[in-house]
Amino acid sequence: MFVKDLMINPTTRGVNDIVHAVTAVASSSAKSSADNFISKFVSPSQKSPCAAYGSYKELVADQNVDLVYVATPHSHHFQNCMLCLEHNKPILCEKAFTVNAQQAKILYQTAKQKNLFLMEAVWTRYFPLSIEIRKAITDGKLGEVLRVVADNSFGGSPEQKFGTTHRMVNMDLAGGALLDLGIYSLTWVFQCLYHTLPKNKRAMPKVAAQMSHYPQTGADDDTTMLLEFPHSSPNAERKSHGVAMTGLRVATDPDSKKSTKPAIRIMGTKGEIDVDGPAFRPMTYWFIPYKNSASDPGEVEEHKFDFPAGGHGMFYEADEAARCWKDGKLESEGLDWEESTVIMEVMDEVRRQGGLKHPDAIESTKYPIDLPGMKK
């Protein structure tokens, strides 16, 4: 989906300062896989050449590559990103950024030392819908935001869908609901209750978590997090609370018809914003003001968004990364290194409370080490 979005003309979404090109693709298994990917997704839309490689080490050595998009499993992000940084390549790395916060800190420290751009690819943050909601909060439209409730859960039987080897439940690949799905629930809590505050008012929240485990592998299959922030947004008038939920057995949208809504509730002293799911790709939200009186109940505002030219929406984060790199920035203001690290620290604490620890190899901060399925 990411490459498909890159191939869409940026002017269709009003972007005139950025043009994307895929200059190389690497597969950890075989060059033929990269060739097939290029034939299917790149060549039909792009006239400029695109190189195929059978290892990541070959790709990072390519001088024509300006920025690397890392979309491997979470378990491999630390090793893959260190390889890119070692070869002086700026990076856009998929969420969850790493397996643990210490890995994230090392990556950001290394990027700073080498003066290289590095960004966690939480695509939802860069949607016009998300940007508009954050502005509504900072402008005071909701009053003081005191509570955010967010859910991103996929129902069904994980035993039937995933077995024991699928990345969603495979502990060797950092599988589980938290890192793959829960990051979106946390994204809404953080972008509403943390990101919208002045930097000197942002602080690590207190965390209370409950977790259920997938019996076949030990990965988490249902996790609920309660976060208490010392300051509400936007004026830090009092404390605020975030509830972030994720699961593999129950669903945010059980009938796939959006009969249950919303996926996110952002609750302020002057009104509420309800965001229609899914949490990772919302297209509609409603502002519901408090009624002033029985004769003046206030009108619900509906805000609808689409993704231009049939895109999936991943081009927004790609535009941000390209623009930051072009402008010589090391990090994105939409999700800077500090906030990304705090979110990883929250997930570390959630895992600690839930008794979830991944294999030592993928929790390690040593580089380089070989991981299962990793070919350099």
Side-chain angles (χ1 to χ4, degrees):
M1 290 184 291
F2 182 80
V3 170
K4 283 183 177 180
D5 271 18
L6 289 188
M7 297 295 99
I8 295 174
N9 188 331
T11 61
T12 60
R13 55 186 179 275
V15 173
N16 297 295
D17 61 330
I18 296 294
V19 176
H20 300 286
V22 181
T23 54
V25 172
S27 167
S28 63
S29 57
K31 179 178 178 295
S32 59
S33 296
D35 282 321
N36 291 337
F37 184 92
I38 293 168
S39 297
K40 186 175 181 180
F41 297 110
V42 181
S43 297
S45 304
Q46 180 175 293
K47 294 181 180 179
S48 58
C50 179
Y53 296 113
S55 72
Y56 299 149
K57 194 169 184 178
E58 290 176 282
L59 182 141
V60 297
D62 188 332
Q63 296 301 309
N64 293 317
V65 174
D66 294 321
L67 190 149
V68 177
Y69 173 60
V70 175
T72 52
H74 326 303
S75 52
H76 289 49
H77 287 179
F78 178 71
Q79 296 293 324
N80 295 157
C81 287
M82 285 297 291
L83 176 67
C84 293
L85 294 173
E86 183 180 48
H87 288 78
N88 298 310
K89 294 297 185 187
I91 307 165
L92 174 64
C93 177
E94 266 302 332
K95 58 79 202 163
F97 188 55
T98 49
V99 176
N100 57 57
Q102 191 56 37
Q103 290 179 341
K105 291 175 183 178
I106 292 172
L107 290 179
Y108 289 136
Q109 289 167 359
T110 305
K112 183 176 181 180
Q113 291 167 1
K114 296 176 76 71
N115 199 40
L116 292 170
F117 172 76
L118 176 55
M119 171 180 154
E120 182 179 5
V122 184
W123 61 318
T124 313
R125 288 221 176 204
Y126 301 94
F127 292 174
L129 176 146
S130 296
I131 295 169
E132 186 170 291
I133 289 174
R134 294 198 299 267
K135 186 175 187 304
I137 293 171
T138 56
D139 286 350
K141 185 172 183 177
L142 282 74
E144 201 70 2
V145 178
L146 304 182
R147 185 189 301 157
V148 174
V149 180
D151 180 44
N152 188 41
S153 300
F154 291 173
S157 168
E159 287 83 1
Q160 294 179 4
K161 291 194 293 185
F162 305 131
T164 58
T165 59
H166 191 281
R167 68 171 185 84
M168 285 296 298
V169 295
N170 188 334
M171 291 289 279
D172 288 330
L173 299 178
L178 176 63
L179 290 182
D180 198 84
L181 305 178
I183 183 65
Y184 290 110
S185 303
L186 285 170
T187 289
W188 280 100
V189 169
F190 266 83
Q191 72 171 341
C192 295
L193 296 179
Y194 187 93
H195 188 83
T196 51
L197 281 167
K199 288 193 174 184
N200 65 350
K201 295 295 184 181
R202 299 176 186 178
M204 175 79 178
K206 295 179 182 179
V207 179
Q210 294 293 329
M211 179 180 288
S212 298
H213 296 263
Y214 185 61
Q216 283 78 356
T217 66
D220 70 299
D221 63 15
D222 192 277
T223 297
T224 298
M225 299 158 271
L226 174 61
L227 279 57
E228 180 183 271
F229 294 86
H231 301 297
S232 56
S233 186
N235 298 313
E237 293 179 358
R238 53 179 298 161
K239 295 178 181 179
S240 63
H241 297 146
V243 181
M245 298 172 287
T246 187
L248 302 181
R249 297 183 184 275
V250 295
T252 311
D253 181 17
D255 64 0
S256 299
K257 297 179 181 179
K258 299 190 177 182
S259 298
T260 59
K261 58 181 66 174
I264 301 102
R265 294 183 67 186
I266 306 163
M267 306 164 75
T269 57
K270 292 183 179 179
E272 174 174 328
I273 284 179
D274 287 356
V275 184
D276 198 14
F280 53 87
R281 192 177 181 264
M283 298 176 67
T284 304
Y285 79 85
W286 299 269
F287 172 65
I288 307 163
Y290 276 104
K291 64 178 182 180
N292 298 319
S293 65
S295 60
D296 182 18
E299 292 187 5
V300 174
E301 300 175 10
E302 183 180 64
H303 298 255
K304 285 184 171 291
F305 296 78
D306 59 11
F307 296 98
H312 197 66
M314 304 189 87
F315 38 52
Y316 292 121
E317 67 177 1
D319 293 344
E320 172 70 7
R323 194 171 287 117
C324 287
W325 171 79
K326 181 173 68 74
D327 293 343
K329 296 180 180 179
L330 299 187
E331 56 190 314
S332 167
E333 294 178 4
L335 180 57
D336 62 21
W337 296 349
E338 182 268 341
E339 185 174 355
S340 171
T341 302
V342 171
I343 294 172
M344 290 305 310
E345 289 175 333
V346 166
M347 292 196 287
D348 279 359
E349 178 59 18
V350 170
R351 291 197 297 125
R352 186 193 69 78
Q353 293 184 23
L356 177 62
K357 187 178 186 302
H358 294 291
D360 290 344
I362 65 171
E363 294 268 11
S364 175
T365 56
K366 294 180 180 179
Y367 171 82
I369 60 173
D370 291 328
L371 298 177
M374 184 173 177
K375 176 183 175 184
K376 291 186 179 179

